[in-house]
Amino acid sequence: MACPQHQRISKLTTEFVGTGFLCLTVALTAKTDPLAPIAIGCALMVLVYAGGHSSGAHYNPAVTLAIAVRGGGKMQPIDVILYMITQFAGAVVGMLLAWAKITKDLSGHPVLGYDVNYGSAYLAEFMVTLALCTVVLQTATTDAQANNSYYGLAIGFTVLSGAVAVGGISGGAFNPAVGLMSAFYQDSQEDCWVYFVGPFAGAIIAGLWFRLCTPAEYQEEAPSPSRTTLGAAAMEILGTMILCFTVGTAGGNGSPLAGLAIGSTLMALVYAGGSISGAHYNPAVTIALLLRSFCGATHDGFSIKEAAIYIPSQILGAALGTFAAWGAWADSAKVGYPAVSLNKGYGEAFLGEIL
């Protein structure tokens, strides 16, 4: 049996190597490849599967902070500090390897979009890191979803989605270790703080919101029905907010990958919230489940009372996500939203929505 010190070294080595490869992928693709979000998201997915059993596969100081705020004995304070130091070191090594391979001038790093203000960049980093940390906490740290096979997919594709949605706004770090690379470039040194403040704030809120959504993680007895319903409503608010934020940002930037970003976000959020609320995030889904119960479903019944809580929660989440997208763009006209195509009629649009 390995001694605790050897186990700690093993975990830190995994974090160093994983963060290094993640930052190497960012540096090699972000500046030259339009499909960089896919490369980065898939690289993270593979690295999470590779290191999850060893260190938890954080590769991100914000994720480490979220797990610390989540509590429940998942991490000791000394490990939080050591993880972060190791992740920052891995990021620097990954960046230097990219410089050696393709030169510093061709290597990518997070950089604010043209004429983007700090408030918009901060909000973009905050929102996507909130989504990322929520997905990590729900799919990789709970008893309800222990030993699942999809956590790496959900985590990697959350980053893919965020990079498509707000990469042109904030630079798409969602990770202070990735953001640290910007400190080594004159064009982004002054903006580097955004990649620390935004992700760390998102991580703290994700950890606190996790406590609200999952009371069963903190008590041996089953939570009361009212407490369970409160957690479900909180998950519906958060999930719908993040989904609508992605629609508003990815749908408004003209990227050909917008559909992939929105679908990836929904997939990851369904994995994250399925065990808590059922992960509806959509009044139509809620109504369908209500009708299913009315038709005599023999299990997983859904009541009118629950629907009366879910639908307002989803509407609130949609409003918050819309305003967040507005803030990220700093212009309501840029926010993406569903609209009937100019060359299509209402009948075709109606049929499409029904189908």
Side-chain angles (χ1 to χ4, degrees), residues 217-240:
E217 290 290 314
Y218 302 95
Q219 56 191 65
E220 294 183 1
E221 298 179 357
S224 66
S226 60
R227 182 65 183 84
T228 300
T229 299
L230 174 62
M235 191 69 227
E236 288 294 308
I237 292 171
L238 181 63
T240 311

Side-chain angles (χ1 to χ4, degrees), residues 162-253:
V164 173
V166 303
I169 298 174
S170 69
F174 328 129
N175 181 337
V178 173
L180 179 63
M181 295 194 295
S182 298
F184 294 85
Y185 293 84
Q186 288 187 346
D187 67 343
S188 55
Q189 284 178 344
E190 293 183 357
D191 307 329
C192 185
W193 66 270
V194 172
Y195 306 121
F196 288 78
V197 177
F200 278 139
I204 292 170
I205 298 303
L208 295 174
W209 205 263
F210 176 89
R211 290 173 172 264
L212 178 63
C213 292
T214 55
E217 290 290 314
Y218 302 95
Q219 56 191 65
E220 294 183 1
E221 298 179 357
S224 66
S226 60
R227 182 65 183 84
T228 300
T229 299
L230 174 62
M235 191 69 227
E236 288 294 308
I237 292 171
L238 181 63
T240 311
M241 178 183 72
I242 293 169
L243 175 60
C244 291
F245 174 79
T246 305
V247 172
T249 49
N253 65 16

Side-chain angles (χ1 to χ4, degrees), residues 259-287:
L260 176 62
I262 296 166
S264 296
T265 294
L266 180 57
M267 175 190 69
L269 289 170
V270 167
Y271 283 138
S275 64
I276 300 172
S277 68
H280 300 191
Y281 313 137
N282 183 338
V285 172
T286 297
I287 291 172

Side-chain angles (χ1 to χ4, degrees), residues 24-232:
L24 174 64
T25 304
V26 172
L28 291 177
T29 63
K31 196 170 185 177
T32 59
D33 193 338
L35 298 180
I38 297 177
I40 296 165
C42 289
L44 178 58
M45 175 186 69
V46 172
L47 290 166
V48 167
Y49 281 131
H53 68 285
S54 175
S55 68
H58 302 187
Y59 313 139
N60 184 337
V63 169
T64 299
L65 178 60
I67 293 174
V69 174
R70 171 219 190 280
K74 294 295 181 181
M75 291 196 76
Q76 299 299 319
I78 184 62
D79 289 320
V80 173
I81 296 171
L82 291 175
Y83 265 50
M84 289 185 180
I85 293 172
T86 303
Q87 291 154 357
F88 285 126
V92 173
V93 170
M95 177 192 69
L96 293 176
L97 288 173
W99 289 6
K101 181 173 176 58
I102 62 172
T103 75
K104 179 178 179 179
D105 290 340
L106 293 179
S107 295
H109 63 281
V111 58
L112 267 58
Y114 176 73
D115 206 29
V116 171
N117 64 62
Y118 284 135
S120 294
Y122 165 82
L123 184 58
E125 289 291 311
F126 170 85
M127 288 295 293
V128 179
T129 309
L130 171 62
L132 173 61
C133 291
T134 296
V135 170
V136 171
L137 293 176
Q138 295 293 352
T139 63
T141 74
T142 63
D143 292 335
Q145 300 200 55
N147 301 315
N148 69 72
S149 60
Y150 49 76
Y151 67 100
L153 176 67
I155 293 167
F157 274 63
T158 301
V159 169
L160 183 160
S161 171
V164 173
V166 303
I169 298 174
S170 69
F174 328 129
N175 181 337
V178 173
L180 179 63
M181 295 194 295
S182 298
F184 294 85
Y185 293 84
Q186 288 187 346
D187 67 343
S188 55
Q189 284 178 344
E190 293 183 357
D191 307 329
C192 185
W193 66 270
V194 172
Y195 306 121
F196 288 78
V197 177
F200 278 139
I204 292 170
I205 298 303
L208 295 174
W209 205 263
F210 176 89
R211 290 173 172 264
L212 178 63
C213 292
T214 55
E217 290 290 314
Y218 302 95
Q219 56 191 65
E220 294 183 1
E221 298 179 357
S224 66
S226 60
R227 182 65 183 84
T228 300
T229 299
L230 174 62

